[in-house]
Amino acid sequence: MYSDNGTNFVGAQREIHHILDSEKFQTSIAQEGIKWHFQPPSAPNFGGLWESSVKLVKAHLKRVIGQSCLTIIEFITQIEACVNSGPITPMSEEPSDLVALTPAHFLIGSVLTDLPEPNLLDISQNQLNQWQHVQQMKQHFWAHWPKDYLSYLQQCYKWQSNSSAIQPGSMVVVKEGNLPPFKWPLARVTAIHPGRDNCVRVATVKTTNGEFKRPVNKLCLLPFPNN
């Protein structure tokens, strides 16, 4: 577990060790390899991976929610679900496996799903009831969140490597528009097509609907320990 030195985290660690300070507990966490790592004080850059996500979420929340008053249930079940549905890394290196690990797997053990809802983006707020208003805010949030998240994934490789980072067998997210909430089109790269300059700009990907050719700038490579 990694966190900053916030008083709530430090206090939580102290309480856990105080309440569960037993030989059986210590043996259990040692066997599971669990250890709480605190980043150095006044060093938020050490948590850049999650801090950047927090920044994106806050920016969209301010833009979408504005002055609206939401209950904790409405807030958590809608916005948090959008964030926790994002793919983190492939489940395996198996070429036929199109399942990615998401934050939801750590919470409920599987991917998040959502019931179909009518498009409410263009309907005036005064024509909506409370539930429809919450759904409209979720749709507004979803309209921007995946774009920023996928752009962040692309930047990780655009500035730290080159397009050849995408290789056959890599899992990617295909950038598509107008997708419903919690839908991330995952695919496996089956072939790459270098140009005359040996730069890869096109790749063939396999999805649940078949194989297609897509430009590399529409593919977001999911990080894997080997790459």
Side-chain angles (χ1 to χ4, degrees):
M1 297 174 59
Y2 289 83
S3 70
D4 55 33
N5 283 266
T7 55
N8 52 337
F9 294 130
V10 175
Q13 187 210 34
R14 187 181 300 113
E15 286 297 318
I16 289 174
H17 282 281
H18 176 71
I19 297 174
L20 302 175
D21 189 15
S22 64
E23 182 178 350
K24 182 179 180 180
F25 173 71
Q26 296 297 335
T27 303
S28 175
I29 63 174
Q31 291 175 346
E32 296 293 335
I34 299 174
K35 185 179 180 181
W36 201 321
H37 297 268
F38 289 102
Q39 65 190 35
S42 302
N45 57 298
F46 277 70
L49 184 61
W50 64 76
E51 293 290 350
S52 60
S53 298
V54 171
K55 180 181 178 180
L56 287 177
V57 173
K58 285 184 176 180
H60 289 313
L61 284 180
K62 291 178 181 178
R63 186 181 301 116
V64 171
I65 296 179
Q67 301 298 320
S68 300
C69 294
L70 300 177
T71 65
I72 188 64
I73 299 300
E74 292 170 341
F75 176 80
I76 290 179
T77 57
Q78 302 299 321
I79 302 301
E80 185 183 18
C82 289
V83 176
N84 288 335
S85 68
I88 301 175
T89 185
M91 278 286 198
S92 70
E93 294 185 273
E94 178 63 37
S96 60
D97 186 8
L98 292 178
V99 180
L101 183 69
T102 70
H105 283 88
F106 297 97
L107 300 174
I108 63 174
S110 64
V111 296
L112 289 169
T113 57
D114 191 28
L115 293 175
E117 293 283 349
N119 190 340
L120 305 172
L121 293 176
D122 299 325
I123 300 180
S124 176
Q125 182 178 335
N126 57 16
Q127 300 179 24
L128 305 175
N129 58 34
Q130 179 64 15
W131 172 253
Q132 291 173 330
H133 178 47
V134 172
Q135 293 302 307
Q136 185 188 61
M137 287 190 290
K138 181 184 73 172
Q139 292 175 8
H140 276 297
F141 183 87
W142 180 259
H144 299 282
W145 165 253
K147 297 178 183 178
D148 284 347
Y149 181 72
L150 294 180
S151 295
Y152 172 75
L153 289 181
Q154 283 185 312
Q155 290 173 7
C156 290
Y157 290 96
K158 181 177 181 181
W159 301 115
Q160 299 177 14
S161 61
N162 52 48
S163 57
S164 62
I166 292 183
Q167 298 293 336
S170 301
M171 177 175 281
V172 296
V173 182
V174 183
K175 296 181 69 174
E176 297 180 5
N178 302 320
L179 291 174
F182 312 163
K183 295 297 182 181
W184 301 86
L186 299 174
R188 287 280 185 176
V189 177
T190 57
I192 56 177
H193 309 285
R196 293 182 178 179
D197 56 358
N198 206 33
C199 184
V200 178
R201 297 183 179 88
V202 180
T204 301
V205 297
K206 182 179 180 180
T207 69
T208 54
N209 298 321
E211 288 192 351
F212 308 93
K213 280 188 176 181
R214 290 292 185 269
V216 171
N217 61 356
K218 292 291 184 181
L219 304 177
C220 301
L221 181 65
L222 290 184
F224 199 75
N226 291 343
N227 59 25

